[in-house]
Amino acid sequence: MAHPAEPLPPEPSAPLSSVPEAVTPRFRFLPAVGTWKYHLLLASVAIFFLGPLGGVAASYMNFSLGFFVASQVLSGILGSVVTYGYGAEGKHGANYMQTMAASVASLCAMSVLIQSMVWLGMPQPPAWQLMLFVGCVGMFGVGVGMLYTPLLVDRLQLDYPSGYAVANILRALTDKRLLKASIAKLGGGTGLGILAAWLTEKVAAVAALSVSSSTVGAGMVVGSRITVPAMLMGITGYAITPYLRSIGWLGPSDPYRKIGFLISLAMICGAALVDLALLAVQAVDRIRGRAQAPADTEPAWKKVNVPRLIAWVVGWGAAVVVVATQVLHQPAGFIIFGLALSLLFVLINGIAYGISDNNPISSAFVMSVLLMSLLGLKDPLVGLMASSILLISTSVGCDMQQDRSTGWRLGTNRVVQFRYQVLGIFMGAVLCVVLARVFMGAYPVLSVNQLDHPDVKVGQWGSAMTYKFVGAIRDLGTLSAHKVTALLVGLSIGFTLEVIRKVVRRHPAWLRYVQGSRTGFGVGWAMDSLVLASPYATAFGGFIALPATIWFGAGGILTSLFNTVSKRFRREPAPGEAVLPEDMSTMSLVGGGLIAGESLFYLFVGLAGLLALLG
């Protein structure tokens, strides 16, 4: 996050409409910018290649780890290959493609909702009904996200770190040498991911290690200050499991995460209370500061028809109610309640996402379940359907805001970007249901309720997000005393840790110390990773199985070691030598490749298994 003293990136002033006519493609076969053939090219690549690629990765990661890495960076890099022939202005076309692909991936990640229905033993509606419901909610969510864009992106100018990274990548990849350097590292990571997944399937000794290249890759992307606390939480949970069994909090064979996910969820909520209070103060200060500045003429690329946007939100909200009540036969009251909560949480999660790059969608889901439980709801199917509105809306709505932050830095036409996102919602709604059926058909263990069968061998299919959803839904109307205690313990830990962290980490003397020497840097790492670790990072260790937390931690440690060693041997680049920007570090590219490689491997294995079952 940019500190108040740091200058914000300059806002682009050239309207997009003045650019296309001046652009001559480097290659004669490329259609002219702005023509229908140009948009057909971009949309075809995004919706049939980049979107499904990111969607497979997102769906697989949610089934295995319980979280997914956004596909914006991967889509931006690959999209830049397509638009490289347009020179510097190719960044806009690549941005359109990554916007569409990210929408597809965000909805594909919601395939865990269908898995949750299976775990709860709910009757499966026909596929077309699920696609219709998910699509309508997605349309509502992107509209709400766009509605808040002028506040969060234009007025508050929140950073959205991943959106900033994508903007830098799209700028940088107009350089041919830079493009080659980034693709080599990403491609190498993808190859390693495929090889590791194949070894896990074919070699018993490797399978016994419960290694997952996507888990390691995710750890490499986020770094040790995030992964080490999660790993320590998993180890601590494993160590206290016998005690928790002895006091009746866990059954004789239950793993720690059966109660740990409640403690972790409450830790996140406790930390969020602190952050949201500070965010509210910052938002008021920023709005006051912007209000005193003279209003500039709004550039053409930024203009949006607000009345039409409001009509879009109202119209698709009504469509959600109609589909839910008339097609899926759900009560209107709780469906409308889910829509109303979405209006609030897309804003709250959007602010958190813009500052911390963390979109707590599962927390929003569980919070909606708790609120509906307090209102007297006891039907798990109604609770799941109403809460899924909030889950999908916060996922695609906040993704919309992040994409608009990228467009803000590039000067990309906002209305055209919105249209690409809408097309992505159509494809994502279809793939969400298809991928759920493909994975669960090929791997029956995904259909096994791990809360009821903790001894089942799940391999890499930890399904941590589904674990949270089903655990929350089953508590509708009833919360046992020990679960209430677990929630209070987690809430207290999260709140207290975050308050202390905010006080210590903002103190000028502490900042001077950790930034002033190698010793200070080491002490700062120890405080952030071991002593006063982020509750958000620590909580992750309560959601997934212990082997996954170990490999996740290993990936982060590997990144930190690599960065530390590479700094000692860093040399000044020669004149004219291509230099990767910090957002495209070697480890983040390789880690992203590991995730993509394993996802692709298991997609092919899943499809082969499904075809074998059908045959």
Side-chain angles (χ1 to χ4, degrees):
M1 182 182 79
H3 298 287
E6 296 176 353
L8 289 163
E11 183 170 351
S13 57
L16 184 68
S17 58
S18 66
V19 173
E21 289 76 5
V23 176
T24 301
R26 294 172 177 170
F27 310 115
R28 297 181 61 183
F29 62 85
L30 289 175
V33 173
T35 63
W36 69 268
K37 293 181 180 179
Y38 170 78
H39 289 294
L40 179 62
L41 170 66
L42 302 186
S44 298
V45 173
I47 206 165
F48 293 117
F49 177 65
L50 299 182
L53 179 65
V56 169
S59 185
Y60 170 75
M61 289 190 69
N62 259 0
F63 280 133
S64 57
L65 298 175
F67 74 95
F68 67 99
V69 175
S71 64
Q72 280 92 340
V73 173
L74 175 62
S75 300
I77 292 173
L78 297 179
S80 296
V81 177
V82 177
T83 61
Y84 176 74
Y86 293 104
E89 294 308 319
K91 62 190 177 186
H92 298 302
N95 194 24
Y96 293 143
M97 285 191 286
Q98 71 86 13
T99 296
M100 181 184 287
S103 296
V104 176
S106 292
L107 275 188
C108 288
M110 299 300 101
S111 55
V112 292
L113 290 171
I114 298 174
Q115 184 186 27
S116 299
M117 297 178 69
V118 173
W119 279 27
L120 290 165
M122 298 176 178
Q124 283 275 326
W128 71 269
Q129 294 183 5
L130 290 173
M131 292 176 185
L132 184 61
F133 177 74
V134 171
C136 288
V137 176
M139 294 297 183
F140 172 79
V142 295
V144 175
M146 188 69 162
L147 199 60
Y148 293 141
T149 294
L151 172 64
L152 303 183
V153 176
D154 299 336
R155 195 162 190 178
L156 299 184
Q157 296 182 1
L158 300 179
D159 290 325
Y160 289 93
S162 291
Y164 202 169
V166 173
N168 287 339
I169 289 171
L170 296 184
R171 291 190 191 102
L173 292 187
T174 54
D175 186 318
K176 185 176 181 180
R177 293 165 298 174
L178 205 58
L179 181 64
K180 290 181 178 179
S182 63
I183 286 183
K185 293 171 182 177
L186 183 64
T190 302
L192 286 175
I194 294 174
L195 176 62
W198 181 82
L199 290 174
T200 301
E201 284 285 310
K202 300 298 182 181
V203 181
V206 177
L209 298 174
S210 299
V211 64
S212 168
S213 57
S214 65
T215 308
V216 177
M220 291 169 66
V221 170
V222 299
S224 62
R225 294 183 192 234
I226 300 296
T227 65
V228 169
M231 180 174 64
L232 292 179
M233 177 68 161
I235 294 173
T236 301
Y238 178 79
I240 65 174
T241 295
Y243 172 73
L244 296 177
R245 290 172 178 169
S246 69
I247 62 175
W249 282 31
L250 293 174
S253 302
D254 289 339
Y256 166 72
R257 68 176 181 148
K258 189 167 185 177
I259 191 67
F261 91 94
L262 282 176
I263 297 174
S264 294
L265 176 64
M267 286 178 64
I268 293 174
C269 291
L273 288 175
V274 179
D275 285 330
L276 289 176
L278 295 175
L279 287 172
V281 174
Q282 293 174 14
V284 171
D285 290 342
R286 286 198 180 190
I287 290 175
R288 288 175 177 173
R290 306 290 179 196
Q292 297 171 359
D296 295 326
T297 302
E298 188 174 51
W301 61 265
K302 189 189 291 187
K303 291 181 179 179
V304 175
N305 190 314
V306 177
R308 287 185 182 179
L309 186 58
I310 293 175
W312 175 282
V313 172
V314 173
W316 283 107
V320 172
V321 175
V322 170
V323 171
T325 57
Q326 302 303 312
V327 179
L328 297 174
H329 310 294
Q330 301 299 305
F334 283 105
I335 296 298
I336 295 173
F337 182 69
L339 290 170
L341 283 179
S342 298
L343 293 173
L344 174 64
F345 275 91
V346 170
L347 176 61
I348 294 174
N349 282 34
I351 295 174
Y353 202 18
I355 291 180
S356 67
D357 210 29
N358 174 51
N359 183 8
I361 57 175
S362 58
S363 297
F365 177 93
V366 176
M367 186 60 67
S368 67
V369 172
L370 295 177
L371 291 174
M372 287 185 286
S373 181
L374 292 175
L375 292 175
L377 179 63
K378 296 184 178 180
D379 188 330
L381 179 58
V382 175
L384 180 63
M385 298 303 292
S387 298
S388 67
I389 296 174
L390 191 64
L391 181 72
I392 296 171
S393 295
T394 52
S395 178
V396 299
C398 295
D399 179 66
M400 157 72 74
Q401 295 158 9
Q402 177 173 269
D403 289 336
R404 289 316 155 273
S405 75
T406 301
W408 179 84
R409 292 183 170 91
L410 300 178
T412 302
N413 188 291
R414 190 163 284 176
V415 173
V416 177
Q417 201 174 3
F418 180 82
R419 292 169 182 166
Y420 272 81
Q421 193 136 25
V422 165
L423 289 175
I425 294 297
F426 277 112
M427 175 61 84
V430 173
L431 283 182
C432 171
V433 179
V434 170
L435 288 177
R437 301 275 173 98
V438 166
F439 277 105
M440 287 192 290
Y443 294 94
V445 70
L446 288 172
S447 300
V448 177
N449 187 333
Q450 296 179 26
L451 278 84
D452 294 335
H453 304 281
D455 293 330
V456 67
K457 301 294 185 181
V458 298
Q460 76 270 21
W461 308 110
S463 304
M465 187 172 287
T466 308
Y467 203 93
K468 289 184 284 184
F469 293 166
V470 173
I473 289 293
R474 286 177 24 158
D475 281 334
L476 270 174
T478 57
L479 278 176
S480 60
H482 74 269
K483 289 183 178 180
V484 173
T485 302
L487 286 171
L488 292 175
V489 168
L491 188 69
S492 301
I493 294 174
F495 182 85
T496 303
L497 269 179
E498 195 63 21
V499 168
I500 297 174
R501 278 173 56 83
K502 289 293 189 294
V503 172
V504 172
R505 298 175 79 246
R506 294 186 179 190
H507 196 282
W510 171 256
L511 292 175
R512 287 194 299 270
Y513 175 68
V514 298
Q515 296 173 4
S517 65
R518 289 184 178 179
T519 301
F521 176 83
V523 172
W525 181 90
M527 289 290 287
D528 284 343
S529 304
L530 306 174
V531 182
L532 288 177
S534 167
Y536 299 110
T538 303
F540 184 70
F543 293 135
I544 60 176
L546 179 62
T549 64
I550 299 296
W551 288 113
F552 184 62
I557 293 171
L558 180 62
T559 289
S560 294
L561 290 175
F562 178 87
N563 291 339
T564 300
V565 173
S566 63
K567 285 181 181 179
R568 297 181 180 179
F569 299 97
R570 183 173 298 171
R571 61 175 178 82
E572 291 297 323
E577 181 181 355
V579 179
L580 285 172
E582 186 176 352
D583 297 308
M584 297 172 62
S585 66
T586 297
M587 299 306 283
S588 65
L589 288 171
V590 174
L594 288 172
I595 296 168
E598 184 173 88
S599 300
L600 287 172
F601 175 83
Y602 282 110
L603 170 66
F604 295 138
V605 171
L607 289 175
L610 181 60
L611 291 174
L613 290 174
L614 294 176

